[in-house]
Amino acid sequence: MKTSYLAIIALAFAGTLAVAAQPAGKKQGNVPRLKISSPDADEPAADDDEDAAETAKKPAKKPGTGLKLSTGEKKKAPNEAEIVKNLGFMLGYGVGRQIAQFNDLGVQVDIEMVIQALRDGADGKESALGDEESQEAAQAIQQYVQAKSAAKNKRDGEKFLAENKKEEGVKTLSSGLQYKVIKTGKGEKPKKSDTVRVHYKGSFTNGTEFESSYRMGQPIAMSADKFIPGWTEALQLMKVGDKWKLFIPSDLAYGENGMHDRQGNQRIPPNATLVFEIELLGIEKGAKGPVLK
């Protein structure tokens, strides 16, 4: 990614906001990250893979008409007034886009308070919240936003599954697990205590892939009862050689807590409905192999 003064400004601004909201020693979970967004940016932020994938699907927007640099037969260098306006616009627009993310979760942001805080910060006034108060507020906000996010994910997942069950070839089990047979094998069915060797690909309901053994270059082997409940249920119904597409409700996946990596970063949001392609390659009698957490 190209280094530019805009990137430096963006990183500095995002870092300042992140420090203000981050409790000591805590990760922020699903609280939307505050950063600057430019409607004319050359490329998406590197740490926002899902946003970048979604943006790539959308048609390119026409250049904005509200603020322009000097134009003419030969483009003139922007004057100071234009630079100041564009800087203000980009800072404000970036914050506005982040507010929109909160709104999408059903979290209403007090715009008047945002404006007041911006003025106070720009005027060099001390924050109305001290360090300890900021940490307490950030923790309360995180819990509140996580709850809103979990509720929205639950609703969205239920809606997805209700529509998906109508699709041709999709079967729904009494547990709520849905599956579609992609390829039929002729081997044995594993027991719950057997170690299975599988290739898989996991994605969210919007199609964004989050993990794949195909991409890692090798299948995984593990006891069938060590996977998430949706996998364990499906594997006992599959034959060696089968390849199924699973549509797993959140309560048969990672539930209301979601899933975090070893660094504490959230990889699976709370109450997320997940989609997996699973290919059962083989069975080894008896449980062994690592536990996948």
Side-chain angles (χ1 to χ4, degrees):
M1 184 175 290
K2 296 181 290 185
T3 302
S4 65
Y5 285 111
L6 174 59
I8 295 171
I9 293 171
L11 288 171
F13 189 68
T16 301
L17 291 172
V19 169
Q22 178 79 19
K26 299 266 186 180
K27 297 289 180 181
Q28 280 302 294
N30 275 354
V31 176
R33 290 168 289 182
L34 293 170
K35 63 183 185 299
I36 293 178
S37 300
S38 168
D40 299 317
D42 290 334
E43 54 189 284
D47 63 348
D48 249 339
D49 293 340
E50 291 181 29
D51 290 344
E54 187 64 25
T55 301
K57 299 177 186 177
K58 298 179 181 178
K61 293 183 179 179
K62 295 181 179 179
T65 56
L67 294 168
K68 290 184 177 180
L69 301 178
S70 299
T71 57
E73 292 184 4
K74 291 185 178 180
K75 197 169 184 179
K76 298 179 181 178
N79 59 39
E80 184 175 355
E82 290 172 331
I83 291 172
V84 170
K85 283 183 178 180
N86 283 319
L87 175 59
F89 171 79
M90 293 175 72
L91 289 168
Y93 187 83
V95 173
R97 293 303 302 157
Q98 300 308 305
I99 290 173
Q101 291 186 30
F102 283 103
N103 290 341
D104 288 344
L105 293 176
V107 178
Q108 298 302 309
V109 178
D110 188 333
I111 300 295
E112 294 304 317
M113 182 57 69
V114 172
I115 294 172
Q116 179 183 325
L118 285 172
R119 291 190 183 280
D120 287 350
D123 291 341
K125 295 181 180 179
E126 289 188 8
S127 172
L129 296 174
D131 291 344
E132 186 174 343
E133 291 173 312
S134 293
Q135 290 187 11
E136 291 176 355
Q139 290 174 351
I141 291 168
Q142 179 180 353
Q143 293 172 1
Y144 178 73
V145 173
Q146 288 277 30
K148 288 286 189 178
S149 175
K152 182 179 185 300
N153 290 341
K154 187 75 171 177
R155 292 193 303 272
D156 290 348
E158 290 172 349
K159 181 179 179 181
F160 170 84
L161 292 170
E163 292 298 319
N164 189 65
K165 70 187 299 183
K166 303 173 187 176
E167 294 294 320
E168 184 178 356
V170 173
K171 298 180 180 180
T172 303
L173 302 176
S174 59
S175 64
L177 176 67
Q178 298 178 359
Y179 71 94
K180 182 176 183 179
V181 177
I182 300 174
K183 182 177 71 172
T184 301
K186 297 181 179 179
E188 293 183 73
K189 291 183 180 180
K191 295 179 180 179
K192 194 173 183 180
S193 59
D194 289 340
T195 293
V196 294
R197 186 161 48 88
V198 297
H199 254 318
Y200 72 96
K201 179 176 71 172
S203 60
F204 300 111
T205 56
N206 66 0
T208 301
E209 183 181 303
F210 58 82
E211 195 167 82
S212 170
S213 65
Y214 297 101
R215 195 170 65 240
M216 292 186 290
Q218 62 179 15
I220 62 170
M222 195 164 66
S223 178
D225 63 354
K226 302 301 182 184
F227 293 100
I228 58 176
W231 270 49
T232 300
E233 181 178 4
L235 284 167
Q236 294 176 85
L237 301 174
M238 297 174 70
K239 297 177 181 179
V240 173
D242 277 357
K243 185 175 183 179
W244 287 12
K245 190 169 187 177
L246 306 181
F247 308 91
I248 305 181
S250 61
D251 58 337
L252 297 178
Y254 293 96
E256 61 184 11
N257 293 321
M259 190 266 280
H260 297 75
D261 62 22
R262 293 180 180 179
Q263 288 71 44
N265 301 306
Q266 190 154 48
R267 294 190 59 201
I268 307 296
N271 284 342
T273 294
L274 302 178
V275 179
F276 283 96
E277 287 185 12
I278 299 180
E279 186 175 3
L280 180 56
L281 303 175
I283 302 172
E284 296 178 22
K285 298 298 180 180
K288 62 180 180 179
V291 177
L292 187 63
K293 295 183 177 179

